[in-house]
Amino acid sequence: MIIYTDTASDMTQKDAEVRNLSLFDIGVDFPDGSFSFQSEEDKDRFFYRLNKSGIAKTSSPPIGTMIQVFEEVKEAGEEVVYITMSSYLSSTYETALQAKEIVAYEGIYVVDSHMVCKGQALMAEWAVKMKEEGKSCQEIVDWVVKRRDDFRYMGTFMGLDHLVKGGRLPAAVGLAGKVLNIKPVVSMDGGRLGLYGKARGIRASIKKILDRYHSEEVDPDFPVYFIYTYPEEEGKSFIDYAQTLLDDHRGEIAQMGPVVGTHIGPGCFGLAYVVRHVD
């Protein structure tokens, strides 16, 4: 059995190899050429380039690449589970289903994580754990479907310029946010990224995120991640403040990768965690 995910998980090829995972590459392109995401150092390189150009775009892995991987799995008599980024944010899941249909092999399992970034990565890592415990592909898929909406991502922004430039926020909203120091707080729920609330100032928006965290029963089987985009000094200063409010769990620190970073931009801080499942 082979476990696949994609680079929306923020994993590099090296990360994946260490964790016994394989990756499909989601393309990141600037007006002057594509960007190759191979190492942790590439995250800073990406945000530096994004700051300069102001615009980038992503694209699903080519269907031909997926067909080739699935054909190789079929020829080897193997099985594959592909845990994709949220289908509400990308066509990657649909592309994988099309590739599966073309290859026409029952040993291909495609499941929507309803997540990105560390949430998606944690699911893939847990799938490897289940594989090592002798669980079947179907059992892994069933677990992802059962637990995926227990995974949380909350985020806030220092500034709104990138979201306005990319057409993700109206210019009037960006201007009002700048003048009034209003910071949006977003959340990933049921696979969709949406507005959770607003706060005046970055500290108040971080507190809003942590208020939700404290209101839920967090699953101790999974780590808590503080996530930042760029620059590192700014991101870690947010994290230092957040950790003073999160006294029961210091959390781990991670930088967001290029796939989601393309749309979020620099100056973003987030929290990823998992809540206990309720049947």
Side-chain angles (χ1 to χ4, degrees):
M1 182 197 305
I2 305 166
I3 309 292
Y4 261 83
T5 191
D6 50 57
T7 49
S9 66
D10 292 344
M11 281 195 198
T12 65
Q13 291 292 342
K14 185 176 180 181
D15 292 332
E17 288 169 13
V18 167
R19 291 164 175 77
N20 201 20
L21 284 160
S22 296
L23 285 179
F24 283 116
D25 186 33
I26 292 178
V28 176
D29 295 294
F30 288 96
D32 59 350
S34 61
F35 183 85
S36 178
F37 175 42
Q38 299 293 328
S39 69
E40 284 295 313
E41 291 73 24
D42 286 335
K43 293 177 179 179
D44 269 346
R45 282 202 313 114
F46 164 77
F47 282 109
Y48 176 77
R49 192 167 168 184
L50 184 65
N51 259 344
K52 288 185 71 176
S53 74
I55 193 165
K57 63 179 183 178
T58 58
S59 57
S60 298
I63 191 169
T65 301
M66 291 187 182
I67 290 170
Q68 182 181 347
V69 167
F70 293 165
E71 287 283 11
E72 289 171 0
V73 168
K74 180 179 179 180
E75 288 172 15
E78 268 279 12
E79 292 180 309
V80 60
V81 178
Y82 175 23
I83 301 171
T84 75
M85 71 177 291
S86 175
S87 62
Y88 293 99
L89 302 180
S90 167
S91 61
T92 301
Y93 173 68
E94 292 299 330
T95 303
L97 290 180
Q98 291 169 20
K100 174 183 175 178
E101 186 176 352
I102 291 167
V103 175
Y105 176 53
E106 290 183 357
I108 301 166
Y109 296 78
V110 180
V111 60
D112 180 357
S113 73
H114 280 190
M115 260 290 145
V116 289
C117 300
K118 280 298 178 184
Q120 182 183 348
L122 285 172
M123 271 184 234
E125 289 171 27
W126 198 268
V128 171
K129 180 176 179 289
M130 291 181 71
K131 168 189 167 183
E132 291 169 350
E133 291 171 351
K135 304 295 186 186
S136 68
C137 291
Q138 189 59 56
E139 285 175 307
I140 291 171
V141 169
D142 290 345
W143 179 86
V144 170
V145 171
K146 178 181 177 180
R147 293 300 311 269
R148 62 191 177 187
D149 292 336
D150 298 330
F151 286 69
R152 301 281 190 266
Y153 174 75
M154 305 270 305
T156 190
F157 306 86
M158 273 295 289
L160 305 179
D161 290 349
H162 184 80
L163 299 177
V164 171
K165 265 186 204 172
R168 298 172 189 93
L169 270 185
V173 174
L175 180 60
K178 186 178 290 188
V179 171
L180 300 174
N181 197 25
I182 300 296
K183 308 299 182 187
V185 176
V186 297
S187 67
M188 192 100 176
D189 291 295
R192 294 178 170 89
L193 186 66
L195 183 67
Y196 178 77
K198 300 172 187 174
R200 181 160 287 185
I202 191 67
R203 290 198 168 209
S205 63
I206 289 173
K207 186 176 184 302
K208 199 171 193 71
I209 291 171
L210 294 172
D211 283 346
R212 182 180 183 187
Y213 170 87
H214 284 299
S215 75
E216 300 190 285
E217 190 174 357
V218 176
D219 190 333
D221 287 339
F222 298 91
V224 173
Y225 279 99
F226 294 104
I227 301 171
Y228 69 95
T229 53
Y230 178 88
E232 183 177 6
E233 299 76 19
E234 187 176 83
K236 289 189 174 175
S237 72
F238 299 160
I239 290 166
D240 287 343
Y241 171 67
Q243 285 180 324
T244 66
L245 305 180
L246 197 68
D247 50 15
D248 61 326
H249 197 309
R250 296 296 292 173
E252 299 181 31
I253 298 171
Q255 186 175 18
M256 186 178 285
V259 176
V260 180
T262 292
H263 306 283
I264 295 294
C268 177
F269 165 85
L271 188 70
Y273 60 98
V274 185
V275 300
R276 287 189 187 276
H277 184 72
V278 178
D279 290 312

